[in-house]
């Protein structure tokens, strides 16, 4: 991953975490509801991984927003 990609994934992860916390959902419950691993969600929120599109779709659905809204800067 190059520096530009790292920054993008960190911003995306921070956004996911912020939206999840605004809904007062803990990480473990949210991961379970989205049918993804808790460790995977942790890595996404920390910007340490490149999430697959299907995973982002599950997260957006769990947050009850569109994928476009999730990816918004």
């Amino acid at each position: 991953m190059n520096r530009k990609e790292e920054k993008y994934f960190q911003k995306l992860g921070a956004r996911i975490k912020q939206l999840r916390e605004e809904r007062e959902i803990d990480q473990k419950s949210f991961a379970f509801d989205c049918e993804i691993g808790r460790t995977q969600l942790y890595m996404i929120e920390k910007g340490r991984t490149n999430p697959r599109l299907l995973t982002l779709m599950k997260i957006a659905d769990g947050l009850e927003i569109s994928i476009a809204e999730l990816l918004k800067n």
Side-chain angles (χ1 to χ4, degrees), residues 4-36:
K4 186 176 179 181
E5 291 168 343
E6 279 181 35
K7 284 188 141 204
Y8 178 79
F9 291 127
Q10 287 171 353
K11 285 175 67 176
L12 174 62
R15 177 157 173 75
I16 291 168
K17 183 176 181 177
Q18 174 193 6
L19 292 168
R20 176 181 59 76
E21 288 178 342
E22 284 175 2
R23 288 158 178 76
E24 298 180 355
I25 307 169
D26 67 274
Q27 197 176 59
K28 184 178 180 180
S29 298
F30 186 68
F32 180 80
D33 291 344
C34 293
E35 299 178 349
I36 61 176

Side-chain angles (χ1 to χ4, degrees), residues 11 13-14 18 24 28 31 41 52-53 55 64 68 70-71:
K11 285 175 67 176
Q18 174 193 6
E24 298 180 355
K28 184 178 180 180
L41 179 59
R52 294 176 42 192
L53 178 58
T55 302
E64 299 179 338
L70 180 66
L71 298 176

Side-chain angles (χ1 to χ4, degrees), residues 31-59:
F32 180 80
D33 291 344
C34 293
E35 299 178 349
I36 61 176
R38 183 175 174 271
T39 302
Q40 182 181 15
L41 179 59
Y42 170 83
M43 296 294 283
I44 292 168
E45 288 186 350
K46 291 292 183 183
R48 295 183 181 158
T49 187
N50 179 356
R52 294 176 42 192
L53 178 58
L54 180 60
T55 302
L56 292 176
M57 290 169 65
K58 289 178 180 182
I59 290 170

